[in-house]
Amino acid sequence: MTVLNSILHATNFSRPFLSTLVPSIGLAYTIQGLVAIPSIIAQTERFYDLSGSITYISCTALSLYLPTIRARVAAAAVGSAKPAWPSILAALAGNGGRLNWRQVALSAAVSIWATRLGTYLFSRISSDNGTDSRFDNIRSSPPKFLGAFFAQATWVTLCLMPVLALNSLPASLFSTLPAAIGLTDILGALLFIGGLSFEVTADRQKDKWVQEKKTKKHSEEFLTRGLWSKSRHPNYFGEVTLWTGIATLAGGVLVSNVGQVGIGLAGGPLGTAAAMAMAGVSPAFVALLLFKVSGIPLSEGKYDKRYGNRKDYQEWKKNTPVFFPKL
């Protein structure tokens, strides 16, 4: 028995939902563990953020195609014809068979976001000689450094949960969903597009400001232009918004009767609450990280320490909301 067959057999649960969800989550911890080993040996965080993006894309792809992989392996075992790989274009057109257009759309959305963020962060750390101040007290301690990689695997798992859950629903159930685009589909798509656009614009404005400072086109110590005049953390606002959009679109399916049946919930108020939690954990966890852990507290603390006594900084902080942009 090959390694692949062994893994598929060990994760072949009685509920098809778990047979896809559990291996997809396991892949996140596997990738992070494999990247952690050389990173700990070399004491470098250069590939930390990039590996996170790769993990997002890999887990999303596995959740989307694992049912087909199982079917092809099972067919090969008995010598019958292997089923064809599902067509992405057919799914988007509403004729995907084993794939629903929502699964493809959200998987593509995550892949676009992860590719953009991963390349952006890798470019940034490369320009900073491969170091990140977040790891100054971590990289020299193997247990702490390993913990950071497993924390990233947990971050990927919780943020991806709405997409992984949607992709883990049995394909046969999607044919019973209404064919028309619903309110949660439209609202979710708008939130994702708006949030991603806001985040990308904020990052580009900051990059431009940094480059202009390096070439001495200005002598400003902190950015107060563009979206940064509307919010002290517009990139974080965009981040939470886009994940809210993903959760909204996925949640529209997960909380439905079809979604709850696929998950294995009993329905009723408790089933609906559980399905909503499975979708809502994503933006909730992102907001928790940004507000309480590694986002806003670190950034605000660093700038308060540097510029807290300056009147212009105090005025900007007083007149600019910390998160939600002012009109």
Side-chain angles (χ1 to χ4, degrees):
M1 183 178 288
T2 66
V3 174
L4 176 60
N5 285 334
S6 298
I7 294 174
L8 293 178
H9 178 73
T11 57
N12 189 24
F13 301 99
S14 58
R15 293 183 182 179
F17 178 78
L18 294 179
S19 295
T20 299
L21 182 65
V22 172
S24 301
I25 293 173
L27 180 62
Y29 287 90
T30 300
I31 293 175
Q32 287 302 297
L34 292 175
V35 176
I37 295 172
S39 298
I40 291 172
I41 294 173
Q43 293 189 7
T44 177
E45 64 272 23
R46 180 184 291 272
F47 300 102
Y48 180 81
D49 290 316
L50 183 61
S51 73
S53 293
I54 292 173
T55 303
Y56 268 104
I57 296 171
S58 300
C59 293
T60 300
L62 181 64
S63 67
L64 198 62
Y65 287 105
L66 184 54
T68 302
I69 293 174
R70 289 187 183 278
R72 290 174 63 88
V73 170
V78 297
S80 60
K82 296 179 182 179
W85 294 101
S87 170
I88 297 295
L89 294 179
L92 290 174
N95 303 309
R98 289 190 299 277
L99 292 180
N100 181 264
W101 70 266
R102 295 175 182 86
Q103 294 175 303
V104 174
L106 285 183
S107 296
V110 168
S111 299
I112 291 170
W113 168 84
T115 300
R116 203 284 308 184
L117 185 64
T119 53
Y120 170 76
L121 293 177
F122 184 68
S123 175
R124 188 175 71 178
I125 196 172
S126 296
S127 65
D128 291 335
N129 298 317
T131 60
D132 186 330
S133 59
R134 294 177 300 171
F135 295 87
D136 287 347
N137 299 320
I138 295 177
R139 70 173 73 88
S140 60
S141 171
K144 290 182 180 179
F145 208 2
L146 179 62
F149 280 95
F150 283 141
Q152 181 158 251
T154 302
W155 169 58
V156 172
T157 298
L158 294 179
C159 287
L160 263 186
M161 186 55 66
V163 179
L164 296 182
L166 183 69
N167 289 351
S168 298
L169 294 177
S172 58
L173 294 177
F174 282 103
S175 61
T176 62
L177 282 174
I181 296 176
L183 178 61
T184 54
D185 300 325
I186 297 172
L187 181 59
L190 290 176
L191 286 171
F192 174 80
I193 294 171
L196 181 62
S197 300
F198 212 86
E199 182 180 51
V200 170
T201 301
D203 285 341
R204 287 181 176 177
Q205 288 177 349
K206 188 169 185 178
D207 281 345
K208 182 180 179 182
W209 180 86
V210 170
Q211 292 304 316
E212 289 177 347
K213 184 174 178 62
K214 288 180 178 179
T215 56
K216 302 186 183 303
K217 291 184 178 181
H218 67 77
S219 58
E220 301 167 2
E221 295 294 338
F222 47 91
L223 177 57
T224 61
R225 297 186 244 142
L227 294 180
W228 301 83
S229 68
K230 305 296 183 182
S231 166
R232 301 208 297 272
H233 302 280
N235 51 340
Y236 295 158
F237 171 77
E239 181 82 353
V240 174
T241 301
L242 71 88
W243 284 110
T244 301
I246 288 174
T248 300
L249 203 158
V253 176
L254 297 178
V255 302
S256 67
N257 290 334
V258 172
Q260 292 189 50
V261 168
I263 296 171
L265 299 173
L270 290 179
T272 300
M276 289 180 65
M278 195 168 287
V281 67
S282 174
F285 185 69
V286 172
L288 175 65
L289 287 180
L290 294 179
F291 275 92
K292 298 296 183 182
V293 184
S294 64
I296 294 174
L298 289 180
S299 178
E300 295 271 313
K302 180 176 68 175
Y303 278 88
D304 286 349
K305 185 177 181 180
R306 288 182 182 177
Y307 313 116
N309 295 326
R310 290 179 48 161
K311 185 176 180 180
D312 56 349
Y313 176 76
Q314 294 172 3
E315 285 295 319
W316 172 70
K317 192 170 182 179
K318 177 182 177 181
N319 298 322
T320 308
V322 64
F323 184 72
F324 290 103
K326 64 182 179 181
L327 300 177

